[in-house]
Amino acid sequence: MIIMEREQSYFMVTQNDHAKIAGEIARNCKDDYFFDHTRTQEVQLAIQEHDRGWIELDTSPVWNDKTEMPYSFIDYPIVLKISFYKKGLNEVEKMSKYAGLLCSLHYSSFIQDATEPAVREFWNEEKQRQEQLLKGLQIVGNENKNETLMYHLDLLKFCDYLSLFICLNEPGDNKRIHPFFRNGFPQLFPFVTDNPIDAHWKIQETVSLSFSPLKGELEVKLPYRDVRKDQIEEHGILQAYKDTPVTIRKIAFN
């Protein structure tokens, strides 16, 4: 779950809804920015499906007694969520081996420094998955294919970050930008001469990019629930979440 705390409520977006928007962003990137056009659809698939493992988890949000707010994707206990990561990665790999490889590399980058035995086991299993897929896709020993793969991984991460931007920041408020985005996006691309891409609110509910890889202006619809704190206190997080209707916010990128 992606969560932004407000004074009286929690703005909550499911990981899968966020990933679908990342997929929309990817499908609207200029064709030239995929480089290897034979992989374009598989890259777009990876971006759209990269959070499949969260689908079941996000049906039942959990309260974090330590922080006194719902668990988010940032602080959800990693030992508990890795089995869902694996489930999601297995499902993506069945759809496309190249997409599965991209998603595996994406998740491995989050946990490469983890020390918990269960997490290290997951990391080692993913390294084995990656080795098998790299060999099967004939990327091993091919410098051009490996460079393209790493580029596609950065493209996945960029679309992920851009979708997260509209989930973690209040529309129109450039004074309180989430720390993830204060120095621009971490991915560097040759088509912007290796400068970070920066995002900011141009006007209410319109995001402007310092350099846009998009074909043109793109409008997306973000489903969310604005779960009131007093309802959580009275009924608990799970019931309050289920009782809160889904609202759609329209956001434009240009």
Side-chain angles (χ1 to χ4, degrees), residues 90-132:
N90 288 341
E91 291 174 357
V92 176
E93 184 183 344
K94 288 179 180 179
M95 299 177 195
S96 157
K97 294 187 181 302
Y98 193 79
L101 175 58
L102 282 172
C103 290
S104 178
L105 290 167
H106 182 53
Y107 275 93
S108 295
S109 66
F110 300 156
I111 60 169
Q112 58 186 358
D113 298 322
T115 58
E116 298 95 331
V119 183
R120 294 306 303 173
E121 181 181 355
F122 171 77
W123 189 84
N124 288 329
E125 289 176 352
E126 288 311 306
K127 294 302 289 184
Q128 292 177 14
R129 184 201 302 267
Q130 291 160 23
E131 289 172 4
Q132 292 172 357

Side-chain angles (χ1 to χ4, degrees), residues 199-217:
H200 68 276
W201 296 103
K202 183 177 181 181
I203 55 175
Q204 189 79 0
E205 300 192 356
T206 298
V207 176
S208 181
L209 300 172
S210 58
F211 180 93
S212 176
L214 301 174
K215 298 174 184 177
E217 182 167 295

Side-chain angles (χ1 to χ4, degrees), residues 40-57:
T40 296
Q41 290 186 345
E42 292 177 287
V43 176
Q44 292 169 345
L45 176 68
I47 295 170
Q48 177 175 295
E49 302 294 341
H50 75 272
D51 276 333
R52 283 194 66 82
W54 282 97
I55 294 175
E56 187 175 343
L57 284 174

Side-chain angles (χ1 to χ4, degrees), residues 17-26 163 166 220-223 253:
D17 283 336
H18 137 76
K20 288 178 181 177
I21 288 178
E24 284 190 67
I25 293 168
S163 178
I166 66 173
V220 299
K221 296 178 181 178
L222 174 66
F253 298 102

Side-chain angles (χ1 to χ4, degrees), residues 62-72 75-76:
V62 180
W63 189 256
N64 184 341
D65 289 329
K66 185 176 180 180
T67 62
E68 297 186 338
M69 62 182 294
Y71 275 112
S72 75
D75 62 358
Y76 202 98

